[in-house]
Amino acid sequence: MKSIILYLLLFLSVSSASARLVSLEGKVIDGQSKESLPGALITIPDLKISVVSNSNGKFQFNNIPEKGKFLVEIRYIGYKTLIETIDFSSRMPLVFELYPSIIETKEVVITGTAFSSDNRKNSTSVSAVNKDQLINRPSGNLIDAIAKVPGVSQVTTGAGISKPVIRGLSYNRVVTLVDGAKQEGQQWGDEHGMEVDQYSAERVEILRGAASLLYGSDALGGVINVVDALPSPEGQIKGEVLSSYQSNNGLSGSSVMLQGNSNGFVWRARGSVKSAYSYNAPGGRIANTGFNERNFSGQLGLNKKWGYAHLNLSSFKNNIGLPDFSRNDDGQFEDENGEILTDKQLKDRTLFLPFQDIRHYKVALNSHLLFNSGRLRTTIAYQNNQRRELEDDRINPSLFFDLKTYSSDFKYYFNENNGWEPVIGLSGSLQDNKNRAEELLIPDYSSNELGLFAYAKKSWNSSTFNVGARFDYRSITAEQMEEDGNPKFNNFTNNFSNLSGALGFTKEFTEQFNFKANLGSAFRSPNIAELSSDGVHEGTFRYEIGNNNLKPENSYYGDFAFEFNNNVVSASVGAFNNHINNYIYNRQLSNETIVVDTETFPVYRFVQDNANLSGLELGFTLHPAELIHFENSFSYTKGVNRATNKALPFIPAAVLRNEIRLEPEFKKGLKNTYFSLALDNVFKQNKVDVFETSTAGYTLVNLAMGTTFMLKNQPLRLNVSANNLFDKAYYDHLSRFKPGRLDEADPTNGYYNQGRNISVGLYLPFVFK
């Protein structure tokens, strides 16, 4: 970490001394009336800079490169977003013409792929959830907030733990990017959620489909790219205050952010807290499902003509309860002494034992340096993930993983030549994990990874083609250890390597109608739990045994999508198929069990078979008038074990979502008002693995409304919602509390998902000159 800081200080001092100010001016107008549009947001994503047009529609960027071609995105409420490539060597003032649109724009610049690009010219299947959508959707965490995107779902352990699922794949098969670096936090664990401050996200990009070409091992299912807010426009200090409350489990959350920009020196600071007690389900509260979260983050950096360099620091701390209480014949929870837990105890924000104490510390240096022949993007990061499980007392953990990760990523983009845009990349990481407590589930281990890739994109007027190849190498070494004086695990070193490739194509038939498709291969090396786990820990309800001889998973995938967007209709139809050789999963063989501390657990061993996943993703939005918005989506995923012809585990049920929104316009005092009625229609899931049980279908009714109060030009956003309005008793198929998964000895025992939940949220953005 010290080397990162020293590198940054040296780099910034040298770069700052040599920088010369360069500016770019322009104006944003209505394409029909030619009138100025004040308050338009003009963004250059690759340079992480933005500016707002003044009362005359004019804007000016300072501290920008003297030359180079960059995507510029122009947004204005009620108008279609404009995305253009601008050559900075031309010093002529720019004029951007925007045209009115009553439908929410689908045009967006995607930054999590090889090139920042207009989504229509990006072959990867990507959805973006913006700040407004994140604020308007009540959720317990960031993954919960994006789980309504077609093709995306979540494995949940109560209200506080969510793991992303993309096209039927989860755990180590989905990569999460924060501050440009892979999030590393023992993501192999069933009850290990994401260590991310949900309030820090300005936008979340969901890349659906294998992405090993860019991100190496683990990106078989897709990528969650969490994008922070851009630095403030120059000469501006701005911030935000968010606060929310949810009635079901008393979830209260607040976040305060302040950031500024003085002559290209940028800074940001944020603090967030969340707290919840045991959630309420039809039939009563589920004991010890509360959590208490506290996060801090900051940024220091420079935005100059040579590019930018940003140092990001974050601290994440979350205590999450692990339900481990039995229920009596009346369905009431009892403690170990047989005393019934009262409603007052269940509403106490102090957690019962056992609970998790999770801490994640991160330092990441992101830079984008501009040269005559191209540009270099780098990410150098250090992460320390500490995961404790406390069973007997609140001080001494029974289980304690201490994981340190050092990672780097370098991408060099050559200048465009005759429509070709080549890029080469190098990435690597070093990991070291130690057990700091007596209980051992996985051994101490170290691993290192190296990846090399080359990629090129060719653009024509209405088509693009991309091709790439990547080589990956990974080595993992584990140590034999002792538990209670007995040897446990065994020494081993496994080496894995792979060569993968990808092809992509896009075609814009008209301005409204486009097509995209992908073919390629990807891989995933086995994680440490799959290779060597030996034990049971709180929340899993089974004893797991790894296999040192596992092979890497190899994926061969293809997908396509047709998209149509105009001022009234937005529609998409997509399909995918992902064939995975040596798919890794765990299974109980011959009803094997083991007794641990007088308690009997089923034994699950990690095995491999070939698998296939396929599915459909449909979307249809109709906006026939300014007042009416009708949005629909459908997702279906099928996962098959090709050796047994049975379903794969943790495959989400098909879901059809319908929402009708009224968006009236008020003359004074109120803006962006809406009233919403939504239906979540989840189908029965009876295609299940041998250890799973079928899950009945259900329909949830949700109501919501929101508006922005204008208090002397100061906006204040208010959102009110009611989820599961009729307090429906249901089990989500991916809930780890559903029957057959909560207690495998009693397949009828389960905990319902959350009942009715009323949420109120406030959002206050502010700006100082």
Side-chain angles (χ1 to χ4, degrees), residues 20-209:
R20 185 171 66 84
L21 302 184
V22 182
S23 63
L24 178 69
E25 298 178 351
K27 187 175 183 179
V28 183
I29 63 174
D30 185 301
Q32 297 175 347
S33 67
K34 309 303 179 183
E35 293 181 353
S36 300
L37 295 179
L41 178 64
I42 305 96
T43 302
I44 307 176
D46 277 336
L47 299 179
K48 291 189 180 292
I49 56 176
S50 64
V51 70
V52 177
S53 60
N54 63 19
S55 58
N56 298 316
K58 294 183 179 181
F59 65 89
Q60 178 174 308
F61 284 105
N62 296 319
N63 295 324
I64 64 169
E66 297 179 90
K67 59 183 179 180
K69 294 181 179 180
F70 296 89
L71 277 182
V72 178
E73 182 181 60
I74 306 93
R75 289 183 173 272
Y76 193 76
I77 295 176
Y79 286 73
K80 184 178 179 181
T81 296
L82 178 65
I83 299 173
E84 287 192 4
T85 300
I86 302 300
D87 188 344
F88 281 14
S89 62
S90 173
R91 311 315 308 164
M92 296 295 294
L94 303 171
V95 177
F96 295 120
E97 297 186 355
L98 302 185
Y99 292 87
S101 175
I102 62 174
I103 197 167
E104 288 75 8
T105 181
K106 298 296 182 181
E107 291 82 4
V108 62
V109 174
I110 299 299
T111 61
T113 52
F115 293 93
S116 296
S117 63
D118 181 340
N119 200 12
R120 295 173 302 175
K121 295 178 171 62
N122 186 350
S123 66
T124 305
S125 180
V126 184
S127 294
V129 181
N130 61 34
K131 185 79 171 185
D132 288 340
Q133 293 170 312
L134 293 171
I135 292 173
N136 292 347
R137 297 173 180 175
S139 57
N141 53 67
L142 186 64
I143 302 306
D144 188 26
I146 65 174
K148 292 185 181 297
V149 171
V152 180
S153 45
Q154 56 180 330
V155 175
T156 61
T157 305
I161 302 175
S162 297
K163 301 182 74 67
V165 180
I166 301 179
R167 292 181 171 176
L169 296 174
S170 185
Y171 295 79
N172 279 84
R173 299 181 179 97
V174 172
V175 165
T176 300
L177 296 177
V178 183
D179 298 326
K182 283 186 185 181
Q183 191 79 356
E184 295 289 354
Q186 312 282 6
Q187 54 265 41
W188 48 264
D190 290 85
E191 78 285 18
H192 299 172
M194 299 304 305
E195 307 87 357
V196 179
D197 179 2
Q198 73 176 94
Y199 298 122
S200 68
E202 184 71 16
R203 188 176 80 251
V204 181
E205 299 172 353
I206 301 100
L207 284 64
R208 299 189 296 271

Side-chain angles (χ1 to χ4, degrees), residues 698-759:
Y698 56 89
T699 295
L700 302 181
V701 180
N702 308 312
L703 294 179
M705 63 83 62
T707 191
T708 299
F709 298 93
M710 299 303 298
L711 309 175
K712 295 183 179 180
N713 296 323
Q714 171 60 59
L716 174 63
R717 182 72 183 171
L718 169 67
N719 292 295
V720 181
S721 64
N723 283 0
N724 193 2
L725 181 66
F726 298 112
D727 203 29
K728 174 75 173 180
Y730 74 99
Y731 298 109
D732 185 275
H733 185 67
L734 298 188
S735 168
R736 294 184 56 251
F737 288 169
K738 73 177 291 288
R741 213 172 266 143
L742 174 67
D743 183 357
E744 295 174 20
D746 181 5
T748 65
N749 184 25
Y751 302 154
Y752 288 120
N753 284 72
Q754 276 193 342
R756 183 185 299 110
N757 189 20
I758 309 298
S759 303

Side-chain angles (χ1 to χ4, degrees), residues 3 35 63 106 133 389 448 510 525 534 565 653 713 763:
S3 61
E35 293 181 353
N63 295 324
K106 298 296 182 181
Q133 293 170 312
E389 291 186 3
N448 58 80
T510 66
S525 59
D534 186 2
N565 298 281
N713 296 323
Y763 174 56

